[in-house]
Amino acid sequence: MVNVDQLPEALSDANNCQKDLIPGFDYSYGYRPSLAAGIVFCVLFGIGFFWHLLQTIRLRRWTSALLTIGALTELIGWIGRTWSAECPYNQNAFLIQIVTLIIGPVFFTAALYVLLGTFIVLLGRQYSLISARMYTIIFLSCDVISLVIQAAGGAMASSAASSQTDTHLGTSIMVAGVIFQLAAMTVFALLAVDFVRRSTRFGMPAKYKKVMIALFISLAVIYARSVFRTVELIEGWTGYLMEHEAYFIALDGVLMVVAVLIFLPFDPARTIAKAHRPVDRKESAELSDFSTV
């Protein structure tokens, strides 16, 4: 473990803003983050956040609320990376981005789970292998578990990386959380495909089909991002993927922008009319006072 007294004076403060590389003390990232990328992603996630926040306030939809939280989490993470671009040794900035960017997609997948459950409530139980209530119980529970595991591992790993101590335990916990999330998404994807198969038999309004396409696009990019993060973390903090920012930008940042912004033109809160209310109150009881989508 690195003793604070042994650190250069510029790094002894966790909230320092040392810009230049100090020999013998690498940046926590393995590189200095791009300021331009940080600004661009802050703007993009800011757009997603304010749009879905407005929809949450106006229409009181669970999908909008979850997308808002996810976009805000990503926004905070990219603010942390933008801060790191100016202060690459700052431990607080590093901690903020590693924790928020690892858990942000959990809220996006939660929105997808709620959305598919909503379709089942609106169109009928015959469209799905399991009920809308079971979607909520099973998949949102998995999301909460994944969130806790990834957040705990992220905090441990980032703290260890900042102090240049062993990150193995925290990283392993993060990997476990991401793999658990991948497993849940795989099961969900199979059930979503079954839903589409049944909808070809029973029919579905054209406007709903567009939202379903957006759901699958969002799910696909979140899945791809989770595979990338799993491989990246397994390689370790000094691995090739971890130390080359271009991969993180393309396979995390860009994919998460697609995951949330796809619901701007195909927003379920606007597409599915507010007049549509669940007939079966038992099926929708878990959705509280919010509308189902």
Side-chain angles (χ1 to χ4, degrees):
M1 182 173 181
V2 176
N3 191 316
V4 150
D5 295 332
Q6 297 175 345
L7 292 174
E9 184 178 353
L11 304 186
S12 59
D13 179 9
N15 205 36
N16 73 83
C17 197
Q18 169 68 27
K19 292 181 172 60
D20 298 326
L21 182 66
I22 297 176
F25 293 88
D26 292 336
Y27 297 135
S28 296
Y29 298 87
Y31 55 84
R32 185 170 175 176
S34 166
L35 177 61
I39 293 172
V40 168
F41 283 108
C42 282
V43 170
L44 292 174
F45 284 115
I47 291 171
F49 166 66
F50 284 110
W51 172 266
H52 291 297
L53 176 63
L54 177 62
Q55 296 297 76
T56 302
I57 295 171
R58 290 178 59 246
L59 302 175
R60 294 174 56 81
R61 306 300 174 94
W62 274 113
T63 47
S64 296
L66 290 166
L67 290 170
T68 298
I69 297 170
L72 176 60
T73 306
E74 292 281 341
L75 174 59
I76 293 171
W78 280 96
I79 289 174
R81 287 186 70 90
T82 305
W83 184 6
S84 290
E86 289 297 292
C87 307
Y89 283 107
N90 191 296
Q91 296 177 26
N92 293 328
F94 183 74
L95 175 63
I96 288 171
Q97 67 86 32
I98 197 65
V99 173
T100 53
L101 295 182
I102 196 70
I103 67 174
V106 172
F107 297 103
F108 297 151
T109 55
L112 303 185
Y113 301 154
V114 170
L115 178 55
L116 187 56
T118 297
F119 276 126
I120 296 165
V121 171
L122 296 178
L123 297 175
R125 177 67 176 76
Q126 70 273 19
Y127 280 74
S128 176
L129 188 64
I130 63 176
S131 68
R133 173 177 286 274
M134 290 305 296
Y135 271 100
T136 302
I137 293 173
I138 295 173
F139 292 108
L140 291 187
S141 295
C142 288
D143 247 22
V144 171
I145 294 171
S146 174
L147 176 67
V148 171
I149 295 173
Q150 292 182 58
M156 292 173 62
S158 60
S159 177
S162 295
S163 60
Q164 298 194 14
T165 55
D166 188 10
T167 61
H168 179 73
L169 178 59
T171 301
S172 297
I173 293 174
M174 289 171 69
V175 170
V178 176
I179 291 177
F180 183 82
Q181 184 184 18
L182 271 172
M185 283 193 292
T186 300
V187 175
F188 174 76
L190 293 174
L191 291 171
V193 169
D194 178 69
F195 174 86
V196 171
R197 181 186 64 81
R198 291 170 185 249
S199 69
T200 59
R201 189 195 326 169
F202 299 116
M204 178 189 294
K207 61 181 180 179
Y208 290 3
K209 292 180 181 178
K210 294 178 181 179
V211 177
M212 278 301 301
I213 291 173
L215 183 153
F216 274 103
I217 291 174
S218 185
L219 179 64
V221 296
I222 295 172
Y223 198 96
R225 172 265 178 196
S226 296
V227 171
F228 160 70
R229 292 309 299 266
T230 300
V231 175
E232 177 195 47
L233 290 169
I234 288 175
E235 280 189 353
W237 293 84
T238 57
Y240 184 81
L241 293 176
M242 189 72 76
E243 295 195 336
H244 289 78
E245 187 180 22
Y247 291 101
F248 184 83
I249 290 173
L251 298 175
D252 190 297
V254 171
L255 295 185
M256 290 306 92
V257 165
V258 173
V260 66
L261 294 192
I262 189 68
F263 289 111
L264 268 62
F266 304 108
D267 190 346
R270 291 187 305 162
T271 304
I272 301 176
K274 194 171 182 179
H276 285 284
R277 297 287 183 178
V279 176
D280 187 346
R281 291 183 179 275
K282 183 178 179 181
E283 283 283 320
S284 60
E286 71 277 6
L287 296 176
S288 182
D289 292 331
F290 269 39
S291 299
T292 54
V293 294

